[in-house]
Amino acid sequence: MSVLNLTAVSLGKKIQAGELSAVEATQEVLAQVERVEKDVHSYVSYDGEAALKRAKEVQQLIDEKKLTHPLAGVPVAIKDNMCTKGVTTTCSSKILSNFVPPYSSTAVEKLEAAGAIMIGKTNMDEFAMGSTTETSAYGITRNPWNLDHVPGGSSGGSCAAVAANEAIYALGSDTGGSIRQPSSFCGVTGIKPTYGTVSRFGLIAYGSSLDQIGPVAKDVRDCATILSTISGYDSKDSTSIKREDYDFNQYLGQDIKGLRIGVPKGYFKEGLDKEVADHVLSLAKTLEAQGAVVEEFDLSLVEYAIPAYYVIADAEASSNLERFDGVKYGYRAKEYNGLHDMIKKSRSQGFGPEVKRRIMLGSFVLSSGYYDAYYLKALRTKALIVKAFDEAFAKYDVILAPAAPTTAPKIGSSLADPIKMYLGDIYTISVNLAGLPGITVPVGKDKNGLPIGAQLIGNRFREDVLFKAAYAYEQTKTYEMCDLAQKGVN
Amino acid sequence: MAKQYETVIGLEVHVELATKTKIFCGCSTAFGGDPNTHTCPVCTGMPGSLPVLNKKVVEYAMAVGLATNCTITQDCKFDRKNYFYPDNPQNYQISQLYLPICRDGHVTIETANGPKDIRIHEIHMEEDAGKLVHDDFTDSSYVDYNRSGVPLIEIVSEPDMRSAEEVIAYLDALRMAVQYLGASDCKLQEGSMRADVNLSVREVGSSEFGTRTETKNLNSFKAIARCIANETERQIDLIEAGEKVVQETRRWDDNKEYSYAMRSKEDAQDYRYFPDPDLVPIHISDEWIEQIKQDQPELRPEKKKRYMEEYCLPEYDANILTGVKHLADLFESVVDFGKKPKEVSNWLMGDTMRLVKEKEMELEEIDFDAKHLASLIDLIEAGTINRTAAREVFEHIFEENIDPVAYVEEHGLKQDNNEEGLRSIVSEVVKNNPKSVEDYHAGKTKALGFLVGQTMKASKGKANPALVNKLIMELLTK
């Protein structure tokens, strides 16, 4: 059986059992990368030699019984906005083209301690700003299901890599849907945990109050295992939260009888593709058959989520991205006249148009005279959205929503109309504003064969409900791979 | 008749806190060090690095706030002040705008017209920036981030001061409070205390404020006094000439003793302040405030009062001894050995001050053990040495921190109390100075002193002066 048919947990088991070695697993994944990377372009950079060297070291430790973690020896792809010690970390931006961090992000460190084999750094929208992975300075990533379509974004590279078997699993980050939307477009499972669950240390910030790292994988069990590995309180991140549960595997297989599922009526009206709506609602029917209680309700303030999100995220981004000035690291303009000209030119040449647009928007909403009208108002809206969710979770254990209004759009069709692209985030961003966990699971395909994902949203710290429900649903299905992913599968 | 003007001054005082580590990372705050050796990803603004607040900074800020009668903001937070300059590695400074940690305090100063309260508008916490080093030779600039992230508090006063004297009295009171708390060494020259002067003038009797300027880069009390005189005159001249004072930031040049405009209000930057999302709001509980209050040391005004009441010291002594915490600490340590406060005070205010002055030292540099001065006082009281010898011994204590008992023994400085021996010296002196004896009998009591002096000299300074006095009297009145 090919390594590429396996989930991370099942591969890890075989490696522990000695049926396969970490080196063999890595070789197979690298061979698949060689076959499909030129078409998909999931990676900004990858290093087969380093991965194999690491695989040998990890296998040695496994042989010595020093590494028994379920993910030991399993190849992983890391989104290029997470710092990796000694490995170039670009955020898919020209401005960080030469940035080699002297430290690793906490999430990556935890995976390394578990014996993960990093294949490479995945492509993304520049600084995670975008929904298509088309704003990368290093070329677009294509959807492995149909190369004419985008993989979604901003974690498009991570989701495409998993869907195309260029990695067994991946880490993504989610500021406004950047894990859940591309997971939907690529037919994989991805979870954004409750804000504060995974340390942000070493994650290059976009919107600090919204960013969370999360797993992208082939199934719910993988996501639970990966999240259990990368989560935890981190004294290096002040927004990190001490939780009571960090073992998410315990919730898999729990009975869902009586689970109360809320379906926000407003989410399934105009603007949502009919095929997407039908498939998403089919998840509710499946769980209903298992004893869940499904009910429609009004989730208020939906229409205010997008403006509030873009004000807050862009305000934070405009400040977070100030450190990229060509002075200390990263790209510096070749010709300049004095200090301020150097900073101006380096930033003008180093950032792409979408990043510049958001820096300008963010700077505007924070400027004196506009702060109250925009930024403060957005914060108040955010507080009201939190309240609306609190009210919903008093009645329901989980909320069912689409992850995106459509399936993956064609390459080149989104960037021309940024407002339309921003509106595509409608089902995901309020989850970030409220700091909630959300998981996307594949529920089917549209008539063009493009995957559709459904999103389950839980209350803060209630990943248990998400894992329980998603796993129960998943038991009724089999993981479907795209043709391209099966290229190398015997 | 010429118009009468009044100067209105408010201060923004930055104080570098004495924490061992920086405000948002574990790097050392030690002054100096090779460039960029006290740095890490956080204080150099590396991508993905995150700030974590040093609790000690909050405690020092609270302590200063309580010492200056402020209200503590029990839910406070940090804001980002955004501006591009390379000494600031993130290109934003983490500071406090919306909810500063302390508000509405005051400091009482002494003026010619009696005590006066200078109100404090707020105290906020923030991080210091790095330093730009310009290399003229290669025509390039370098950045040293060792100072980046060193904790600061900024103490903002209300415009309550009316003269350079009041400003200096206020700064002195602040400095004293902060030093007593151990929150900072407050050295203006080294930049651990920096003051920006906001100044305007108005006609006496006017209730409106004039247009103010802010002057930066003042690193001594002298510079502050000069700047105030200079700026007051400049503004009055402008008004008298029918021109307007421009609201602007000025920079003091200490060599030229002149300030020049840096930027006007029109060029003022929009700092786009907003709450730092990387840091969580700080909640300060009643218990925490209580704890800080309990740990608060005795501050100068109380200490001065206690010295006068408990130790019966004159105000003059109390004032000088409490003027520098180090000196007060030394004084109390010696007194704790059971020595008479006035006697200890005399040694510190007399010989100690003289030696400090001679050696051009700072009072903080006094470095001898309290127990040595205590033993010296014992030696005098026991009559083991006389005052002349004691002063000599003290110089060695001051300079080399020697043990006076051993020193007196080794150098044979013990006072000579041998009556028989001294009597023969006295007889010799009286015999050799018949003129003085004659003078004494003629009523010139001064002659007695001369004879005592001669005897002391003949005994190589060791004779007990009281005994010598007695023996001479005996001889002369025989």
Side-chain angles (χ1 to χ4, degrees), chain A residues 83 99 102-103 200-203 208 235-236 238-239 319-320 322-323 325 328-329 339 347 363 366-368 371 375, chain B residues 41 44-52 80 82 84 86 89-92 98 145 270 272-275 277-278 280:
Chain A
C83 286
F99 176 61
Y103 49 92
R200 293 189 298 114
F201 183 83
L203 171 69
S208 312
S235 59
K236 288 190 280 190
S238 311
T239 60
S319 173
N320 285 334
E322 280 163 355
R323 65 186 64 203
D325 55 7
K328 306 162 290 279
Y329 44 75
L339 177 66
R347 287 170 65 84
S363 304
L366 289 178
S367 36
S368 83
Y371 181 86
Y375 186 73
Chain B
T44 54
M46 296 288 257
S49 65
L50 294 170
V52 176
R80 290 188 188 173
N82 298 284
F84 281 91
Q90 305 115 300
N91 285 316
Y92 57 80
Y98 295 108
Y145 290 117
D270 183 349
R272 292 176 284 118
Y273 277 101
F274 76 110
D278 286 334
V280 288

Side-chain angles (χ1 to χ4, degrees), chain A residues 65 88 101 130 138 143 153 226 236 239 267 273 293 302 314 318 322 327 394 413 423-425 433 436 465:
Chain A
K65 306 269 177 242
T88 310
Y138 303 104
N143 192 317
I226 299 157
K236 288 190 280 190
T239 60
Y267 278 4
D273 183 274
V293 183
V302 170
D314 292 355
S318 71
E322 280 163 355
V327 172
S413 66
L423 290 175
D425 297 337
L433 285 173
L436 307 173
V465 184

Side-chain angles (χ1 to χ4, degrees), chain B residues 98-207:
Chain B
Y98 295 108
L99 293 168
I101 184 162
C102 308
R103 283 185 285 209
D104 302 330
H106 69 267
V107 163
T108 308
I109 59 166
E110 296 297 331
T111 71
N113 303 324
K116 175 175 176 180
D117 281 353
I118 307 298
R119 291 169 303 155
I120 288 172
H121 181 264
E122 68 171 68
I123 300 177
H124 61 255
M125 304 177 278
E126 60 187 26
E127 56 178 346
D128 208 345
K131 236 193 292 192
L132 286 198
V133 186
H134 302 282
D135 183 350
D136 289 334
F137 189 67
T138 60
D139 192 25
S140 43
S141 299
Y142 298 88
V143 200
D144 176 4
Y145 290 117
N146 282 352
R147 205 179 60 187
S148 164
V150 166
L152 298 176
I153 49 172
E154 183 175 339
I155 306 165
V156 183
S157 84
E158 298 288 355
D160 286 352
M161 287 157 275
R162 297 289 175 268
S163 67
E165 290 71 38
E166 289 186 10
V167 166
I168 285 165
Y170 166 75
L171 279 172
D172 217 28
L174 272 189
R175 183 167 73 165
M176 225 40 92
V178 176
Q179 278 178 347
Y180 266 76
L181 294 166
S184 173
D185 55 13
C186 289
K187 290 184 179 161
L188 268 86
Q189 270 80 359
E190 283 180 24
S192 59
M193 187 179 193
R194 318 194 269 268
D196 301 337
V197 172
N198 286 306
L199 185 148
S200 62
V201 296
R202 64 179 173 190
E203 265 188 69
V204 169
S206 163
S207 58

Side-chain angles (χ1 to χ4, degrees), chain B residues 316-329:
Chain B
Y316 180 78
D317 288 34
N319 214 23
I320 291 180
L321 290 175
T322 57
V324 173
K325 182 161 184 291
H326 181 65
L327 196 62
D329 288 345

